[in-house]
Amino acid sequence: PASTLKGPRSHLPASAGMPRSPRVARAGCSDRSAFLAVLLVGLRWELREQSSLCSSASVPAARFFEFGAPSAPPCAKRLHFVRHAQGTHNVNKEYRSPANFDARLTDLGRTQCEELERTTRDLDVELVVASPLTRTIQTARLGFATVLGRGVRVVAEESCRETVNFLCDCRRDKSALQADFCDVDFFHITSEADPIWAKYEAKFGDQEAFTLHRESNDVPAITARITSLFSFLAACPETSIAVVSHYAFLTSIFNGTGGLCTFADGTTADLFRASLKNCELRSASVDLSAFEPST
């Protein structure tokens, strides 16, 4: 795993496509990692409650096996999950600041991507799926540079983006992203503006009016997005896929939100449930057959 030491901040690009009224709350923001520790306790309680409800109904779930394990079924896909490299918001923790709107990588983040690339160049990745936020696209392009040089595509996918709470989690307009990353496939991004941000702003108001977490407290919404991601990956013809995503969203997957992720052994469970560092890569053979499109 790459180091998470703080480094110099990069220059912040202009925030094209930013919401029109991003009034910033003056109150300090609690550390996201501390919040997630509390969130995980709640999620585990939620799962215990769900288990009794699911006893008479079949709940689809992805089954994670140790990477390359002989016990994995032949249909299992080789999935490589990556948390994005260090972003500006990871340094100053000013998640609501317009300066961190759709946060970009820092200089250290770019160095972390170079370290990641020395590992990924030897992987047989056939497709790179990335959250449409700028920091994940940057991580995908830099961290898989050799892989992309072999003709592999980067595909932006809305379902694997960060849980949407603050301006750092809000994506830019699709047209602005396309202008910056003309080599990335944005076909699956169907909305010009950020639909998830708009949903919660309509419900709670802007960040000055509502300063708490938004989507992180909406377990059904996160469950729906995990289902969408697994369904998307299951439908892909490629069998070796990299997924470049975010801390809170990946943590939600690996800790069983919605009961959609199970593990074949304790070692794999411990690996994936541990806290993710910036630019860390974790691989598994994953049975997604429960999410394959019906014929």
Side-chain angles (χ1 to χ4, degrees), residues 31-72:
D31 186 275
R32 179 173 298 194
S33 297
F35 163 75
L36 284 168
V38 176
L39 174 63
L40 292 181
V41 173
L43 290 178
R44 290 181 181 124
W45 177 88
E46 171 98 12
L47 291 175
R48 286 196 296 269
E49 292 296 304
Q50 289 177 349
S51 63
S52 61
L53 298 176
C54 296
S55 58
S56 60
S58 177
V59 176
R63 185 80 167 161
F64 281 59
F65 296 80
E66 181 182 359
F67 186 74
S71 58

Side-chain angles (χ1 to χ4, degrees), residues 87-286:
T88 56
H89 65 305
N90 297 134
V91 176
N92 57 33
K93 310 297 184 184
E94 295 176 357
Y95 304 130
R96 299 186 184 93
S97 170
N100 288 328
F101 166 65
D102 191 10
R104 279 65 159 177
L105 296 186
T106 63
D107 291 339
L108 175 58
R110 292 177 177 274
T111 299
Q112 290 172 337
C113 289
E114 293 174 2
E115 296 173 1
L116 173 66
E117 198 278 330
R118 287 193 282 273
T119 297
T120 63
R121 65 179 61 171
D122 296 323
L123 299 178
D124 62 342
V125 172
E126 302 166 330
L127 178 69
V128 178
V129 177
S131 152
L133 297 188
T134 298
R135 57 191 179 271
T136 37
I137 296 175
Q138 289 176 312
T139 301
R141 294 171 79 244
L142 296 172
F144 290 85
T146 298
V147 170
L148 302 183
R150 298 197 289 261
V152 172
R153 296 179 302 143
V154 175
V155 174
E157 170 57 27
E158 199 94 75
S159 63
C160 67
R161 58 185 291 186
E162 183 60 297
T163 53
V164 178
N165 298 300
F166 310 114
L167 273 181
C168 64
D169 307 321
C170 180
R171 75 161 167 84
R172 291 183 289 158
D173 289 347
K174 177 179 178 179
S175 57
L177 292 166
Q178 287 176 312
D180 282 353
F181 306 112
C182 58
D183 55 337
V184 174
D185 184 348
F186 288 94
F187 176 80
H188 298 282
I189 306 301
T190 58
S191 174
E192 168 68 7
D194 186 339
I196 304 178
W197 181 265
K199 167 188 170 182
Y200 290 106
E201 191 163 57
K203 181 176 181 179
F204 296 113
D206 64 23
Q207 290 188 93
E208 189 170 298
F210 186 84
T211 61
L212 303 178
H213 289 80
R214 298 172 185 229
E215 193 178 27
S216 288
N217 291 330
D218 190 349
V219 173
I222 298 174
T223 300
R225 284 218 279 124
I226 297 171
T227 300
S228 294
L229 175 62
F230 284 161
S231 298
F232 177 85
L233 296 174
C236 290
E238 295 84 0
T239 58
S240 180
I241 304 172
V243 179
V244 185
S245 187
H246 305 259
Y247 181 87
F249 183 69
L250 291 175
T251 298
S252 295
I253 293 177
F254 302 147
N255 283 274
T257 298
L260 299 174
C261 175
T262 62
F263 296 96
D265 61 90
T267 301
T268 304
D270 290 344
L271 170 66
F272 277 86
R273 287 172 178 165
S275 182
L276 276 159
K277 297 179 181 178
N278 283 119
C279 223
E280 184 176 352
L281 167 71
R282 293 180 186 173
S283 302
S285 295
V286 184

